[in-house]
């Protein structure tokens, strides 16, 4: 991040995009976690700066992944996540409390509705999680392009590291 020779809009990292056309179930999330761990080892990736991000069903997979491997991620960015991965209902909030979350929601979205996402955010905050929430009132499900244009989207990600402790 401090390399002055990098172009100003460059992202100084390794990006892995696991895809699943049929939804993210528990086994596919486990496989994605395995891929991340293999990539970290093979490419000498900083284990303190692993971020997870997903859209729609992939947003639900983000919650499932941080629940399954909270020790792996420095930050999580779900967008239009259709579920919270059972973090609250399964009592997993204390295990993911060290992971900063920035979640995004369209105000016109029908699945999930803004109320559903706001419910996740409220319960997460009540459980002590560090959650940033962006609601785009005029958008439906596709929040990603607007979120990517947030002035601090990438700098927020890069500011997160497991070496900077969050006190629960």
């Amino acid at each position: 991040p401090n390399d002055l020779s990098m172009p100003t809009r460059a992202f100084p990292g390794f990006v892995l995009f696991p895809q699943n056309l049929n939804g993210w179930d528990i086994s596919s999330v486990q496989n994605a976690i395995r891929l991340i761990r293999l990539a970290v080892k093979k490419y000498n990736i900083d284990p303190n700066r692993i971020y997870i991000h997903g859209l729609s069903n992939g947003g639900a997979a983000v919650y499932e992944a941080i629940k399954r491997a909270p020790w792996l991620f420095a930050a999580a960015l779900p967008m239009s996540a259709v579920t919270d991965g059972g973090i609250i209902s399964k009592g997993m909030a204390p295990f993911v409390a060290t992971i900063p979350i920035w979640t995004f929601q369209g105000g016109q979205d029908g699945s999930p509705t803004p109320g559903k996402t706001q419910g996740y955010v409220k319960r997460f905050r009540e459980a002590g999680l560090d959650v940033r929430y962006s609601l785009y009132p005029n958008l439906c499900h596709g929040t990603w392009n607007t979120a990517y244009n947030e002035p601090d989207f990438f700098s927020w990600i890069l500011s997160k590291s497991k070496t900077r402790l969050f006190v629960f």
Side-chain angles (χ1 to χ4, degrees):
N2 300 324
D3 183 351
L4 299 178
S5 67
M6 300 265 311
T8 54
R9 300 269 311 159
F11 185 82
F14 183 97
V15 181
L16 173 68
F17 291 98
Q19 300 293 301
N20 191 319
L21 299 176
N22 299 316
W24 287 94
D25 61 20
I26 292 168
S27 64
S28 57
V29 170
Q30 281 297 122
N31 287 335
I33 291 168
R34 285 185 188 101
L35 283 172
I36 294 165
R37 293 181 71 195
L38 286 168
V40 167
K41 193 170 194 174
K42 180 170 176 63
Y43 298 104
N44 195 28
I45 295 167
D46 182 351
N48 291 313
R49 293 181 165 279
I50 299 172
Y51 314 106
I52 187 164
H53 167 50
L55 319 170
S56 189
N57 279 332
V62 164
Y63 288 132
E64 185 67 34
I66 66 172
K67 181 180 80 179
R68 294 189 160 278
W71 45 266
L72 184 60
F73 302 104
L77 296 99
M79 293 182 176
S80 305
V82 296
T83 74
D84 74 343
I87 289 173
I88 297 298
S89 65
K90 297 194 185 322
M92 297 299 292
F95 299 96
V96 301
T98 60
I99 304 168
I101 298 170
W102 186 358
T103 190
F104 304 84
Q105 174 68 43
Q108 305 299 313
D109 197 346
S111 181
T113 62
K116 188 173 184 180
T117 300
Q118 289 164 355
Y120 301 153
V121 169
K122 180 179 184 283
R123 288 188 300 277
F124 288 163
R125 287 178 176 158
E126 288 171 351
L129 277 69
D130 177 12
V131 182
R132 181 172 173 178
Y133 175 59
S134 292
L135 174 67
Y136 303 117
N138 299 321
L139 295 181
C140 292
H141 196 63
T143 57
W144 25 97
N145 289 332
T146 303
Y148 297 150
N149 283 319
E150 288 280 355
D152 65 336
F153 183 84
F154 292 103
S155 60
W156 183 89
I157 293 170
L158 293 174
S159 74
K160 306 308 176 197
S161 171
K162 289 190 293 187
T163 60
R164 293 190 185 104
L165 298 178
F166 168 73
V167 178
F168 179 59

